[in-house]
Amino acid sequence: MQIAQNSVVAFHYTLTNDSGEVLDSSEGREPLTYLHGGGNIIPGLEKELEGRSAGDKLNVNVSPEDGYGEVQEQLMQEVPRDAFQGVESVEPGMQFQAQTEGGPLMVTVKKVEGDTVVVDGNHPLAGQQLTFDVEIAEVREASAEEIEHGHVHDGSEDEGGAEQ
């Protein structure tokens, strides 16, 4: 079966940046499983997987526009240190959930200067050229329920378990 709209795809991957540094990998874990066409993985990767089959291996280069987007400077902000009430020590690299007009946003602390903290609301991989080495493990038709819910079910619902 070929990957198409509303198929369930399981694949192994290694994600690297321009420098060849491994950013993420499914090695030693279960393959990543998603509903194709459901917007559950980045568009550039989903587009390249279309029409592929189980057993296919491919190398996919994804530009920032088709990945996590370009860096948006307006998502970099200075906030007062006292906005982090209850946090003893605020250090670069720490992540927090901020409440914004558009809803919750994950921010990463970039630097701390006295009573000012610089946070970045961009995805950590925004602005980066990404390379995925992919091996497709399985392709199957999605169930009506998976299509309705817009994501893959792991089967635990059948035994009364909670949906992830």
Side-chain angles (χ1 to χ4, degrees):
M1 177 176 177
Q2 290 186 324
I3 297 172
Q5 181 74 24
N6 294 330
S7 56
V8 172
V9 181
F11 67 95
H12 283 286
Y13 68 94
T14 297
L15 169 62
T16 55
N17 61 14
D18 266 353
S19 309
E21 175 187 3
V22 174
L23 303 175
D24 194 12
S25 176
S26 65
E27 188 174 334
R29 302 189 316 230
E30 291 293 314
L32 176 65
T33 303
Y34 76 99
L35 177 65
H36 193 80
N40 297 307
I41 64 172
I42 59 173
L45 180 57
E46 187 169 61
K47 181 175 69 177
E48 292 297 321
L49 294 178
E50 182 92 23
R52 303 295 183 145
S53 302
D56 286 357
K57 294 180 181 183
L58 60 153
N59 185 280
V60 178
N61 292 305
V62 178
S63 67
E65 303 84 49
D66 289 332
Y68 293 97
E70 295 291 350
V71 172
Q72 298 177 49
E73 293 302 322
Q74 69 270 26
L75 294 178
M76 303 267 297
Q77 294 186 342
E78 292 184 354
V79 295
R81 168 63 180 92
D82 61 14
F84 297 87
Q85 293 177 6
V87 180
E88 203 170 296
S89 176
V90 177
E91 304 289 333
M94 293 176 91
Q95 291 189 314
F96 296 91
Q97 183 170 305
Q99 296 304 320
T100 70
E101 291 174 6
L105 176 69
M106 286 301 297
V107 297
T108 303
V109 174
K110 289 298 182 183
K111 61 182 171 181
V112 180
E113 295 174 333
D115 289 337
T116 302
V117 178
V118 177
V119 296
D120 183 355
N122 287 288
H123 187 282
L125 298 178
Q128 294 192 43
Q129 180 77 25
L130 303 172
T131 300
F132 291 86
D133 283 319
V134 174
E135 180 176 356
I136 300 168
E138 179 187 357
V139 181
R140 67 170 174 81
E141 288 185 35
S143 69
E145 187 176 39
E146 288 171 324
I147 293 168
E148 180 183 334
H149 292 180
H151 61 263
V152 174
H153 293 170
D154 65 6
S156 64
E157 301 88 55
D158 298 335
E159 287 94 41
E163 191 174 305
Q164 290 192 4

